[in-house]
Amino acid sequence: MNTPALSAVSRAGRHVPDAVRLVEAYADGRDALHCTFEFVVPPAGGVTARPGQFFMLNVPGAGESAFTYSALPDAQGRFGALIRKTGTVTAALFASPVGSVLGARGPFGSAWPVEGLQGARVLVAGGGCGLAPLVSAVRALHGRAGRLAVLYSARDERARVLQRERAQWARDGIPLLDVLDAPHAIGPVPHLERVQAMLGGLPQHVLTCGPEAMMFALAHSLVQRGVPGEHIHLSLERRMHCGTGHCGHCYIGGAYCCTDGPVLDWPRVRALLGHAGH
Amino acid sequence: MSCLHLDSLTALRAHLARDHALLQVKADSDGNRRWMPADAGDAAPAGGQLPDFSAKALLFRERENLFTFDGSVFREQRPQPRPTVLFGVSACDLAAIHYQDRFFADDPWYRARRESLLLVGIDCLAPCEGGFCPLTDSGPFVRDGQADLVLHADDAQAGGGWLLFVQTARGERALAGFQGAVGADSTRATLRARREPGVVSQFADDGALRAGIAALNAGTVAAAQWQRLGVECITCSGCSNVCPTCSCFATRQESGAAGGVGTVRFWDSCLFEGFQREASGHNTSLQPGARIARFWSHKFGDDFAARFGHYTCVGCGRCDRACPSGIGAKATLRRLGGQQPGVVTTAAVDAAGRAGAAS
């Protein structure tokens, strides 16, 4: 086999979780906890994750699920995740007191292309808890993008998440448009005129995460306005068991969300889903 | 790499069995053909007689312990299998292992099991029942580099015997000290060029299957046709279980005997309705047509073939034998290519029943 040696294959933190401690958890939106974890034994060399990547959280006795980093691992090995209570694993997490030892594998997947957005007009558009994968991108783009605007839409007031982060963006002077969905105008599309005014023109690049219908409508509308499709980046969500491209659960057409995604550009998403785009 | 001539396989198996567990396809007491412990004196393996199940389960276990958690630390459970020789693996099953080698290249559990295996392939000299390996370039002769050693029944020699081709350095090491063979003047390339086309010509015409693959990749299969196929699938997972390349799995946690928590993985099937269902209830493959389209696109889709350099179907024909609904690979491809009538309708069954009652 022309493959790497077995000894090089099994890396701690990729196939087998590192032990992490839940050091903080506070309510942050409906049925959502914003958690901070730290490695019990910080991995040698640290953990380098990029905005938009995810990790597999292991709640012993319950299972593993994929979560995006709301805060990337820092020099002390602390990282954050916004977690909604939706199933067995998250229910077990919500029942875990601060101080509990859990597990984490990662980072996995593709990242937002923040390095290439120097000086550009960038729109960050999140829907509901889809704002979570975008937080670290906003952090990375602040001061780097030429113009940056955040458009955040939520179903109602209680569905809004990441209150501390949004407050921080306001203090940092990052233009933020918080909107609630009108009954027949769901998502950010009705607000694009205001966003263009905030950016001083059509966005040159777009990062978006939220319900797929919302993202697809946004991408379609932006392409119609003249934004190149390959400049529109979406973060998709699928069920995952491994994070390494093996279990098969997260397939999107001929790709795997965990290794090819979760961040994909609009033409690729359209090709994978066979989405007509209109 | 070299070629040897052997009068029989007895001495070779005895030699390999010194350092390996020896497995060979044999019939069990129920007549099922499967990989079983063998002795040097057992009947020689026969190319073209596939086991009911491929060697997949020896590498990608139906259930594998991954790691444990003792309350403070996660520990990998790496298998430590005994060195084993699979003696007489058919070309299609070797092609499947070759694919899995690439797919699971960075999977420590698969790799630990794979590195314990010495593969002795065997050329098939006639088509097996239902096999269509030439279509997927998986046989009938063993492909280069897919086995450590390859056996070929040598009917060119008076008295028969076997040609043994040494294909890898590992195969060469396994033969160190083996005295039961003499050098032979043959190469795989010349043997395949001389003999394989004649064997391939004995396979049934596969034009209808190629038409199905073409339709699948052209995107001309209507969603309604996928849905018709999908509703015929009873989601028994027989096809994915017997398929030598299917590799989907799920994980779950189990309480360990020592009070810890173990994480295990076990075979899953993308044909199950809940395969992609998320915790929220959102399910992107709720429709059976979507699931069956994806299953066959994975096997014969150009995008997957480009990614792995090969269709993920090796043409062994097991799914056609296993499927209670009659929608294995060949049956499905014929329908996709428009060469075979579709569903047997209840009206047709009723009509047949009336005809039978009247006679």
Side-chain angles (χ1 to χ4, degrees):
Chain A
M1 290 184 289
N2 184 23
T3 49
L6 177 55
S7 58
V9 164
S10 182
R11 297 201 302 277
R14 177 169 171 80
H15 298 99
V16 179
D18 289 312
V20 297
R21 186 173 288 107
L22 177 64
V23 294
E24 185 185 22
Y26 60 90
D28 192 357
R30 181 189 290 123
D31 293 332
L33 275 183
H34 202 158
C35 299
T36 301
F37 307 95
E38 69 177 9
F39 292 99
V40 173
V41 179
V47 174
T48 303
R50 295 182 294 148
Q53 289 190 292
F54 69 95
F55 67 99
M56 299 296 294
L57 178 69
N58 186 304
V59 183
E64 289 191 342
S65 292
F67 298 100
T68 189
Y69 296 99
S70 60
L72 303 178
D74 63 16
Q76 286 72 46
R78 286 195 168 205
F79 58 96
L82 181 88
I83 297 175
R84 279 186 65 214
K85 187 177 180 180
T86 48
T88 309
V89 174
T90 50
L93 173 73
F94 274 52
S96 301
V98 167
S100 297
V101 176
L102 312 169
R105 299 188 288 119
F108 296 117
S110 60
W112 301 112
V114 291
E115 294 85 358
L117 305 186
Q118 190 86 30
R121 284 194 304 276
V122 182
L123 168 63
V124 171
C129 60
L131 189 62
L134 294 160
V135 171
S136 52
V138 172
R139 212 166 274 147
L141 288 169
H142 179 48
R144 178 186 303 212
R147 289 283 191 95
L148 173 65
V150 181
L151 171 55
Y152 179 45
S153 59
R155 192 179 307 163
D156 54 56
E157 185 59 44
R158 289 191 61 224
R160 284 178 165 154
V161 297
L162 298 159
Q163 296 174 38
R164 295 183 188 179
E165 284 70 16
R166 286 183 287 121
Q168 182 62 47
W169 296 342
R171 287 194 293 275
D172 291 342
I174 298 172
L176 170 65
L177 181 58
D178 267 333
V179 296
L180 295 178
D181 294 335
H184 300 292
I186 296 170
V189 171
H191 309 284
L192 288 179
E193 297 297 336
R194 289 174 67 189
V195 167
Q196 282 187 225
M198 291 160 68
L199 285 170
L202 198 63
Q204 294 167 310
H205 294 268
V206 180
L207 315 181
T208 182
C209 184
E212 286 189 3
M214 178 213 98
M215 291 193 288
F216 296 170
L218 176 65
H220 180 63
S221 182
L222 288 166
V223 168
Q224 280 192 325
R225 287 164 186 256
V227 179
E230 56 271 25
H231 288 189
I232 301 170
H233 300 272
L234 301 80
S235 179
L236 302 188
E237 182 180 46
R238 288 291 184 277
R239 176 176 176 173
M240 294 175 187
H241 280 261
C242 68
T244 56
H246 294 120
C247 77
H249 284 265
C250 68
Y251 70 77
I252 308 171
Y256 292 110
C257 189
C258 68
T259 50
D260 299 287
V263 176
L264 298 161
D265 68 31
W266 175 233
R268 180 112 162 100
V269 170
R270 286 188 66 198
L272 289 172
L273 295 178
H275 196 268
H278 53 76
Chain B
M1 292 290 174
S2 60
C3 178
L4 304 170
H5 179 268
L6 296 78
D7 292 330
S8 84
L9 301 180
T10 304
L12 175 63
R13 284 180 291 185
H15 173 82
L16 295 174
R18 292 189 313 186
D19 300 322
H20 300 82
L22 179 69
L23 299 184
Q24 189 175 307
V25 175
K26 295 165 41 174
D28 64 16
S29 57
D30 295 324
N32 300 314
R33 294 177 54 76
R34 57 193 185 89
W35 287 100
M36 299 169 67
D39 297 317
D42 281 339
Q49 294 187 11
L50 291 181
D52 298 327
F53 288 86
S54 72
K56 176 172 78 171
L58 298 171
L59 293 149
F60 169 51
R61 303 289 282 185
E62 192 168 353
R63 176 196 153 90
E64 184 85 81
N65 296 316
L66 301 182
F67 50 83
T68 59
F69 178 66
D70 63 7
S72 60
V73 176
F74 291 86
R75 289 192 173 83
E76 182 182 339
Q77 290 185 288
R78 178 85 60 86
Q80 296 181 311
R82 182 184 168 195
T84 299
V85 55
L86 297 187
F87 197 85
V89 191
S90 296
C92 58
D93 283 349
L94 286 167
I97 292 173
H98 187 64
Y99 162 76
Q100 298 280 40
D101 284 350
R102 283 169 287 165
F103 185 77
F104 283 120
D106 69 341
D107 181 90
W109 299 278
Y110 176 94
R111 289 286 304 278
R113 296 192 181 282
R114 175 67 179 88
E115 293 185 7
S116 74
L117 284 188
L118 180 78
L119 298 176
V120 180
I122 188 167
D123 288 332
C124 296
L125 303 182
C128 63
E129 184 184 353
F132 54 102
C133 56
L135 175 66
T136 61
D137 188 27
S138 306
F141 283 17
V142 174
R143 271 38 199 160
D144 293 342
Q146 298 189 359
D148 299 300
L149 302 167
V150 180
L151 292 165
H152 184 94
D154 187 12
D155 54 7
Q157 296 281 335
W162 297 83
L163 292 175
L164 178 67
F165 293 90
V166 184
Q167 296 277 281
T168 66
R170 181 179 190 163
E172 199 162 296
R173 284 196 300 274
L175 291 180
F178 177 56
Q179 303 292 328
V182 295
D185 182 21
S186 182
T187 66
R188 286 296 292 171
T190 54
L191 179 84
R192 283 186 62 184
R194 182 168 55 85
R195 296 208 62 191
E196 192 170 23
V199 180
V200 170
S201 69
Q202 299 171 43
F203 280 77
D205 178 71
D206 60 13
L209 307 183
R210 293 181 188 277
I213 294 173
L216 183 151
N217 283 302
T220 56
V221 180
Q225 188 175 2
W226 284 124
Q227 189 71 357
R228 278 196 295 276
L229 281 162
V231 297
E232 290 176 55
C233 171
I234 61 170
T235 59
C236 68
S237 76
C239 55
S240 50
N241 283 347
V242 298
C243 177
T245 65
C246 270
S247 54
C248 289
F249 64 81
T251 57
R252 68 166 165 252
Q253 298 196 345
E254 299 176 347
S255 296
V261 176
T263 296
V264 302
R265 74 181 180 194
F266 53 92
W267 290 359
D268 203 344
S269 174
C270 65
L271 291 166
F272 289 149
E273 181 183 328
F275 185 75
Q276 287 207 296
R277 187 188 300 127
E278 297 161 25
S280 64
H282 180 231
N283 189 347
T284 50
S285 54
L286 183 63
Q287 293 300 319
R291 296 195 297 275
I292 208 115
R294 198 274 172 175
F295 183 86
W296 292 116
S297 297
H298 191 188
K299 298 301 175 192
F300 295 106
D302 287 341
D303 47 357
F304 280 98
R307 179 174 267 203
F308 293 105
H310 196 283
Y311 287 138
T312 63
C313 172
V314 296
C316 68
R318 289 185 177 94
C319 54
D320 282 296
R321 290 191 286 278
C323 181
S325 297
I327 48 172
K330 289 200 299 184
T332 296
L333 290 177
R334 287 193 188 106
R335 284 172 60 173
L336 297 184
Q339 300 287 312
Q340 183 167 303
V343 187
V344 178
T345 63
T346 51
V349 173
D350 291 343
R354 283 194 297 274
S359 62

